[in-house]
Amino acid sequence: MSFRVAASPHHHARVQTSTLMLKVALATLPGIAAQLYFFGYAVLIQLALAVVTAWSAEALVLSLREKTIVNRLKDHSALVTAVLLAVAIPAYAPWWIIVLGTAFAIIIVKQLYGGLGNNLFNPAMAAYVLLLISFPQQMTAWTPPTALQAQEQSTFDPVCLVFTDFSCAGYSITQLKTDVDGRTMATPLDTLKTDLTNNKTVSESRQQPMFAEIGGFGWNWVNLGFLLGGLWLWQQGVIQWRIPVAVLVSLGICSSIGAMVDADQYASPLFHWFSGGTMLAAFFIATDPVSASTTAKGRLIYGALIGLLVYLIRTFGGFPDGYAFAVMLANVAVPLIDAYTKPRTYGHKAKGSE
Amino acid sequence: MASLFQQIKSGMLWDFHGGIHPPARKTQTSQKPLGRLSLPERLYIPLRQHIGVAGKLLVQPGDYVLKGQPLTAANNAMAVPVHAPTSGHVLAIDDHPSAHPSALPEPMIVMVPDGLEQWRERQPLDPEHISRQQILARIQDAGIAGMGGAGFPTHIKSSASQGVDYLIINAAECEPYITADDALMQTEAETIMQGIDILCDLLSPKAVLIGIEDDKPRAIAAMQAACGNRKDFYVRVVPAKYPSGGEKQLIQRLTSKEVPAGRRPLDIGIVMQNVGTAFAIAQAVLHDIPLISRIVTVVGETLSRPQNVLALVGTPVGFLLDSCGFVAEAKQRVIMGGPMMGFTLPSLQIPIVKTSNCIIAPTDAELPTTGPELDCIRCGACAEACPATLLPQQLLWFSKAKDHDKLKEHHLSDCIECGACAYVCPSEIPLVHYYRVAKAEIREQHRDELKAEQAKARFEARNERLEREKQQRMAKNQALAAQRQSMLAEQQKQQIADAASRVETTAETLSKEQIIAERERKKAEARAYQAAKAQNQVENPAETKVEPAPATEVNTDTATDPRQSAVAAAIARAKAKKAGISENAEADEVPASSATLDSDKAADPRSAAVAAAIARAKAKKAGISADAEAAKAAEVSASPIALDTEKATDPRAAAVAAAIARAKAKKAGISAEAEATKSEDAVAGAENTTPVDTEKAADPRAAAVAAAIARAKAKKAAEATSTITTADLTAETAVNTTIAADVPVAASPVADAADPRAAAVAAAIARAKAKKAAETQQEPSADAEINQITPETETKAVAAEPAVIEASTNVVAPTDAKKAAIAAAIARAKAKKAIESDQEKSE
Ligand code: SF4
Ligand code: SF4
């Protein structure tokens, strides 16, 4: 009889990459549910388009690279990229936006760098930035929550909007963004930014109905949803606490300083935390292991850097939300951070004391 | 320091970085009584079971040994002996698969127990009344080596007499499944304590720390009870976490100290021994029982009775498993050691050795095989688990890239191969395996570097020696060359003598003057236009014949290269053949020019061979649907030519070439369609080019070749049945040329040592031809001759070389070179005469 020979260890924790990735995808559900509730089911169309595109692109590239397709599709990393991009872009963005973005994310950002584990940038965020720069109009076309829209949405409006750019009744996105009073609305962050440049104070701006809740009507709940999912991921051991905490604390400190300097010009930490894509970025995007720092200390620095950049871009930059830029910039810094935060090996003296 | 000691005394524990919590699965065996086994049929006792060297073999196959009798003797500090685990006979001493991850065969003593368990005489010692040295000697003689895993000889580890702050007894047993130490502590706590006492006598530590993981409550209780009121003995219960049983990790846990990289624990005042080792020491010193058995955990879900057993060293694993109700499943794995650091066994004949603490025979569901390796997602889980605070993902990356510098920078050598990283890796990457490979490569590289350095030194020494030898060789070569020259001169003389002797045997003796006269006459007869030029070319050497000195000049001035003669021969052959059969006289020019080109290039013997081949090819192509056989013959003879020319020292090649040329010429001539007129033109052409070649070659030997060719043509012409007159003419011309060419050949011996042989050859050939021509002419019908002549010619071509050899070996009284020329001339004359007579006959 022949005995099987294997390398030690013969024991394994049975935590698998594919499971981890699947959990990340699942953890976005509360956030998606909130989006669904406030912005209509267009997000589901985006999700479907993204996932199909991601899988096809991945399979295509893998077959070109002559790698095993099924095994690698099963790691679910493409799924996660697709889901993250789909929830990040405006729900009513035209269909080709998500298709283009996902394909770019998978083919260029991920596979051309050598596939899973080798990409310098977070694929979803790199694609997001590309889309934002190339198609700023479509990429900022967040409609206000359905409840605030002047026009009643019909059942098939999401489909019509995604595939034809017009609602079934023939309204364009811009028309849909107009509220009952005839003002154009965007995301709370967007609106706040516009108002501030129009010399309104933060509190004046926040009189509007879309700021009904801390992070803005609807957005508050979307962020809470992602927070919930993120906490579950942490509880499951899928992500470690360092990065999300560092992001939120850093953003909190920055906005607190701002608010303390001039509360009329700078929004509060709570608003920053629960508006835009803060929670999504902190728990789902910054924690992407591949493009994040790998050392414990490095992760704190990495998260803090993201928080700082998000605040700076939101407050002083040209774009309403900046987490995608922030994450990408932090990605670039990762090799440096890693190099400087290499832990002291057992039995070796610390770097400085050598 | 004092405060740290206070902290340690107060029971403080520290933590080490990382670590994992795999399911312990120890309850299967930890609560059961110790199993005792019957004797196996065979015991395989490896000569070396520790780190270090094997002892000297004391027994031979067939010997009867008593239980505990040493089988090897420690003849070296790093050696520990092995003992007979029971009484019985030594069956054999040979190689068997070892209890090592590689399972490489190692020398083992194969024993057949007799079941009597007869002990050798035992001498228990009383530690109170003996010296340190005696205790250490006993520990060594009892064959005790660290029982925790590595198997480092214990007497060495225990010989430090000062500077030991802490003696740590490792009873952590952190790997899942293993309960061997647990069982030992439960049953033998008192003896272990006695062993620790002996170690204390040797090491005099400030405190003894016994580290036990908290999942062994019974063992902890037993040890605490056994400690009694010994001073500064502390049983430290550490929370279970893998790998707290690692030496460095346990030290860190109990004392907060880190062993500096590349140092030993002793350097920071710590000695660590395994509980099993302490037990073995007590047994050896107090009872004189050497290390011949140990407790082994035999566990796994394929066993119906998993348990701890007391196994004799040398017991095959298969016997242990069978004793515990082993039912193997498909693709069964059997692991020696724990699931984290153990290794799989390829065979169940592998024996238990002193360091084997566990045998696991798991089902696949129990310890599932890892799935396919996925890409590293840089999740950092491995880095969080690593007890050495390494960055396993970086190590993986650099291992794959074989970046040894980076690996060093990331402290690969500090990896203890605990497997924690691979255990947690979600991508199921066999990280430890990569590290082992990388470490092996680095070791290899290290060795190579050492070797390279040595090689460099060797190389330099060698260069010096070669230079010296070169000088010596040069001197020797010069001496040899002088010797060779004198030898060659001797040979020439012999050849000349040979030729002269043949001259004497010929019926007609012609004077030198007569030959010259005849030659002059023939020249005049030769057709004016082409012959004039040719004659000039050949005449010059002819004149030098009388005075050999000028010929010498010719030879020394120009390249005396026999290779060129081969080229010329090839060209000539090609032309002869072509001319012989060509229906178009113009066609001659093409090969002629290309042949000249070839001869220009002919600086190299190989190109000569090539040229010959080309020439042959051309000749063949020229359209004579010639005898396939003849063509083949030419091909066959081509190789010897090439060979000879390559050697470029042998004029014999020329002779061979000449023979071949003859063969071809004959074949060509046989073709019935050949018109005599055309043959004549062709011959003229050949004649025309031959001197040109000769000119280039500037070698009388080439002339010989040309002569041969000419002769061949003459023959062919003679054979041609169409116009006898023309044939005659051609024959005459040919002879003419032959003579002209031959003279310098004969003249050259003084100039070139090799030349006289050519002359001899020519002479021999001429004779042969003469004879053959005579024979040939007797046959009136050319058609009828074809079959007859072709084989004959071939034979002659082959025979030419032996003839030469013969000529050069014959020892006859030395004569003048001129005589050789005379002989040749005579032969030729005869040939001519034969032809003439034949003409007459035909007429
Ligand atoms: S095997 Fe080496 S790298 Fe992996 S956890 Fe253990 S010490 Fe660290
Ligand atoms: S645990 Fe595995 S996948 Fe994660 S970083 Fe380490 S090697 Fe890579």
Side-chain angles (χ1 to χ4, degrees), chain B residues 382 385-388 390 392 395 414-422 431-432 435:
Chain B
C382 48
C386 178
L390 296 167
L395 291 175
D414 288 295
C415 167
I416 57 169
E417 298 182 19
C418 66
C421 49
L431 292 159
V432 186
Y435 305 153

Side-chain angles (χ1 to χ4, degrees), chain A residues 17 20 289 294 299, chain B residues 374-383 391-394 396 421-422 424-429 431 435:
Chain A
T17 300
L20 296 182
T294 56
R299 286 178 170 174
Chain B
L374 294 176
D375 300 304
C376 167
I377 55 168
R378 293 166 42 87
C379 66
C382 48
L391 291 174
Q393 77 276 25
Q394 301 294 87
L396 168 73
C421 49
V424 296
C425 176
S427 289
E428 306 203 330
I429 303 170
L431 292 159
Y435 305 153

